Amino acid sequence: MNSLTLIFAAACLFAISYRFYGLFLANKVLNLREERITPAVMYADGHDYVKTNKYILFGHHFAAIAAAGPLLGPVLAAQFGFLPGALWILIGAVLAGGVHDAVVLFASVRHKGKSLSVIAETEIGTVAGKVASFAILFILILTLAGLSIAVVNAMFNSPWGTFTVLATIPIAMIMGVYMQKVRPGDIMGGSIIGVTLLVLSILAGPYVAADPALASMLTFSKKQLALIIPAYGFAASVLPVWFLLVPRDYLSTYLKIGTIALLALGIVFIHPDLQMPAISSYFFGGGPIIPGAAFPFVFITIACGALSGFHAIIGSGTTPKMIANERDILFVGYGAMLVEGFVAIMALIAASVLVPADYFAINAAPKAFAALNMATVHLPSLAAQVGEQVQGRPGGAVSLAVGMAYIFSTVPFLKGMMAYWYHFAIMFEAVFILTAVDAGTRVGRYLLQEMLGKVYAPFADNGWKPGIIFTSALFTSAWGYLVYTGDIATIWPLFGMSNQLLATCALIVGTTMLIRLGKAKYAWVTAGPGLFMMPICMWAGYLNITKNYLPKNLYLLAGMSVILMLLMTIVFIEAFRRWYALLQIEKTVTDGYGDQVLALAEEQTETLVHLPLQE
């Protein structure tokens, strides 16, 4: 199959879905209205609640949600062949991921920008809210640890990539000061400054790496980066959003979308054939990268590109506190998810254009690859061109970088630049992931403040600086410890299952809110994907425990999996009980008073939920 066919199908499907299904969600299901006051306006404090232009907010939101999932997940899932991953991305992004992101963002905007756990407590009950709080905090720690380890593996001993990633921090600060203090609202001027400085930093990268003194200053080991990245997360969590977080994410979005657009143009220009078969011999299990079968493991391996619980954390964390207009939820929530789905398709193509033997040689451990009795084809030449040893480096990042570099360097006027494109791709992946780390850390701080605020009231005040510093330090220490002591092979499988389990929880909570708002006839839009993913996540968790963790004596990870699955089961049971109670009330109202009274009740409920909730 030619890669151009897959790109064309994805672009058409996502565009049509946004135009029709997205508007259906906005107009019929969520009933988004411009005149409703959002938390960014009602609770404006210049620190967390900041009214933000929808294009800048799209950049922040996309940069925050687009982490390792849409890049590495599709690469790893290519083991099953390109077709299972492609179908899950195309269908999942439209019917599950986009719906999930839009509904969670909508729910948080209607609940004063509060987190998913607070929404669960309000919509379902106290037990569900408290259980969800611990589960979400637990999942967020695992998520940030997994993402940060991916950054560490991409940046260590790479002065070029490290320089470019670090340069985005002062550039973002300059942009933030310019757009907030020097010329407030001058988005065009800030964008020109940021993009210009970013291009200069990328061009300067090779020269920095070639200078012995500068290169030694920017060459860090894995342990050093495991300390630097949490320190950055702490700073991003404490500083005002306009100073570092939003402009940096907005800036990195130019790099992300620009690179993906360039990759798409490169694929269109050379239209390579997909070397990976549609269905591989490992579809039913036994693969050297993912030990299980495509069903259910493709659904938890490809996370952010189709459906991701991490998006619920961002969608009920930083983003709802910056929504200026309720109608922006469609563009920011649903739109950003579709763009991420397109990113995932690009990553899948970049992996699938490699000869299968070369793909497995990069992503499988040396011993596992030797057992396949395969001979590499182009890999020795590719390794020589990029100037690094690429075989036996599992995780997806290296094979994605090799695939991207191969596509770029195949364009006639870009030939001979394989090494440049490879290191650029490694840097691109690191920036892609790190922007999710800073937003996720800030959301973790919000969640801790909400939880500790019930014990000591000042913690609930987002303006109380001692509380901000304490919760930020506590949270970054938790996931930073896992980064320093763990590795991606032990944390990533648990992250994949827990991430999709959280997405399922968010869909179930969103369904509860729709039923309460009198939208039971539309509840299928969230209940459908939620009920589909629930048994898949539980099944994958069970297989992880029995086939992966226990045979390797990983009792801690097995225990963590069991606890997480039990916590989520409690939330699901409480939600189903709430569904039954709400539907009984609706049935009583309909049978007793007719559809006109039900419509009036729906209108009053929407009005009430928009009012400030009781603390």
Side-chain angles (χ1 to χ4, degrees):
M1 177 176 173
N2 192 275
S3 56
L4 194 58
T5 304
L6 191 53
I7 287 185
F8 182 75
C12 291
L13 178 63
F14 290 152
I16 294 171
S17 299
Y18 183 86
R19 173 62 181 83
F20 293 100
Y21 196 56
L23 285 177
F24 166 73
L25 288 172
N27 297 332
K28 297 294 185 179
V29 181
L30 304 181
N31 191 22
L32 302 179
R33 298 177 185 174
E34 293 184 3
E35 62 270 19
R36 286 199 179 98
I37 301 175
T38 64
V41 177
M42 185 178 295
Y43 307 106
D45 58 9
H47 191 273
D48 292 320
Y49 291 86
V50 180
K51 181 180 177 181
T52 307
N53 176 276
K54 72 175 184 178
Y55 297 104
I56 292 181
L57 186 56
F58 178 94
H60 157 72
H61 184 75
F62 175 76
I65 64 172
L71 293 178
L72 306 186
V75 173
L76 299 177
Q79 168 191 280
F80 304 123
F82 70 82
L83 187 59
L87 289 176
W88 172 228
I89 293 168
L90 295 175
I91 299 173
V94 172
L95 299 180
V99 173
H100 168 278
D101 290 16
V103 171
V104 168
L105 185 54
F106 162 78
S108 187
V109 167
R110 291 291 190 90
H111 288 79
K112 303 195 300 184
K114 294 298 184 180
S115 68
L116 181 62
S117 60
V118 173
I119 299 171
E121 183 171 351
T122 303
E123 296 293 341
I124 300 176
T126 303
V127 173
K130 293 186 182 302
V131 170
S133 294
F134 287 102
I136 292 170
L137 187 65
F138 174 68
I139 291 171
L140 187 54
I141 290 172
L142 284 172
T143 299
L144 294 179
L147 297 179
S148 298
I149 288 175
V151 175
V152 169
N153 290 339
M155 289 177 58
F156 82 98
N157 294 335
S158 178
W160 180 2
T162 301
F163 166 76
T164 308
V165 172
L166 291 179
T168 61
I169 298 175
I171 293 173
M173 292 179 174
I174 294 171
M175 289 178 62
V177 171
Y178 177 84
M179 293 189 293
Q180 190 77 14
K181 302 296 183 181
V182 179
R183 296 193 65 181
D186 185 9
I187 301 171
M188 181 62 71
S191 301
I192 293 173
I193 292 172
V195 172
T196 301
L197 293 176
L198 180 63
V199 171
L200 291 176
S201 68
I202 293 173
L203 295 176
Y207 301 99
V208 171
D211 186 280
L214 292 176
S216 62
M217 292 173 57
L218 293 169
T219 301
F220 300 107
S221 66
K222 289 185 178 182
K223 292 297 184 183
Q224 289 173 322
L225 286 171
L227 295 175
I228 293 172
I229 293 174
Y232 165 75
F234 172 81
S237 176
V238 170
L239 293 173
V241 289
W242 62 264
F243 184 55
L244 174 59
L245 188 70
V246 172
R248 186 184 186 280
D249 291 352
Y250 177 62
L251 177 66
S252 67
T253 298
Y254 280 106
L255 176 62
K256 294 176 178 181
I257 296 181
T259 302
I260 292 300
L262 186 62
L263 179 60
L265 290 175
I267 293 173
V268 170
F269 189 83
I270 64 174
H271 48 272
D273 290 331
L274 301 180
Q275 302 297 322
M276 190 68 67
I279 301 293
S280 77
S281 58
Y282 304 113
F283 182 84
F284 296 103
I289 302 170
I290 302 169
F295 193 90
F297 281 97
V298 71
F299 297 101
I300 67 169
T301 302
I302 301 179
C304 300
L307 174 67
S308 173
F310 181 70
H311 295 195
I313 296 173
I314 302 301
S316 63
T318 55
T319 305
K321 296 177 177 63
M322 295 183 282
I323 287 282
N325 185 323
E326 198 175 80
R327 293 290 299 182
D328 294 346
I329 290 174
L330 171 63
F331 178 67
V332 175
Y334 196 75
M337 180 63 235
L338 295 185
V339 174
E340 184 170 306
F342 193 74
V343 171
I345 289 292
M346 294 297 102
L348 180 64
I349 291 174
S352 299
V353 296
L354 297 175
V355 174
D358 293 345
Y359 164 84
F360 285 112
I362 296 174
N363 285 290
K367 184 180 294 185
F369 178 71
L372 299 179
N373 294 319
M374 290 183 176
T376 58
V377 181
H378 303 301
L379 194 60
S381 174
L382 293 173
Q385 290 181 60
V386 302
E388 291 193 17
Q389 174 64 37
V390 297
Q391 185 167 342
R393 298 185 65 177
V398 172
S399 59
L400 174 60
V402 171
M404 291 175 63
Y406 169 76
I407 292 171
F408 285 141
S409 62
T410 306
V411 178
F413 55 87
L414 296 178
K415 286 185 176 180
M417 301 177 65
M418 185 78 171
Y420 177 90
W421 286 116
Y422 173 80
H423 288 93
F424 173 82
I426 289 292
M427 178 274 300
F428 159 75
E429 293 175 88
V431 171
F432 220 110
I433 297 167
L434 202 58
T435 48
V437 171
D438 51 26
T441 302
R442 196 177 193 92
V443 173
R445 189 257 289 177
Y446 292 154
L447 184 57
L448 265 182
Q449 283 186 269
E450 290 175 356
M451 295 173 68
L452 294 178
K454 297 177 181 179
V455 179
Y456 184 59
F459 276 109
D461 182 3
N462 287 322
W464 190 48
K465 291 185 178 179
I468 293 174
I469 294 173
F470 176 78
T471 51
S472 296
L474 181 61
F475 186 72
T476 51
S477 297
W479 64 260
Y481 174 78
L482 292 178
V483 175
Y484 193 81
T485 59
D487 61 73
I488 200 164
T490 58
I491 293 177
W492 195 266
L494 180 55
F495 154 65
M497 185 275 292
S498 61
N499 180 63
Q500 299 301 70
L501 200 56
L502 178 58
T504 304
C505 175
L507 287 166
I508 296 301
V509 172
T511 303
T512 309
M513 183 173 177
L514 290 179
I515 296 174
R516 183 181 63 79
L517 288 173
K519 299 284 187 178
K521 63 181 178 180
Y522 297 124
W524 56 267
V525 301
T526 50
L531 295 176
F532 172 76
M533 286 300 297
M534 189 184 300
I536 287 177
C537 292
M538 293 298 183
W539 185 17
Y542 169 77
L543 293 176
N544 255 337
I545 294 170
T546 58
K547 305 294 185 181
N548 188 14
Y549 295 148
L550 292 182
K552 298 176 182 178
N553 298 323
L554 298 175
Y555 300 116
L556 176 61
L557 296 183
M560 294 168 69
S561 301
V562 171
I563 292 172
L564 180 60
M565 292 164 69
L566 288 176
L567 290 176
M568 283 302 181
T569 299
I570 294 173
V571 176
F572 295 151
I573 292 173
E574 291 295 308
F576 296 153
R577 292 174 59 186
R578 177 67 169 157
W579 288 8
Y580 180 78
L582 289 172
L583 291 173
Q584 288 298 109
I585 293 173
E586 179 176 325
K587 183 177 184 299
T588 301
V589 172
T590 304
D591 292 346
Y593 301 98
D595 293 338
Q596 290 183 339
V597 175
L598 180 59
L600 178 61
E602 175 184 336
E603 181 180 346
Q604 291 174 340
T605 304
E606 289 196 359
T607 304
L608 287 172
V609 77
H610 178 58
L611 296 176
L613 300 175
Q614 295 296 319
E615 294 290 349

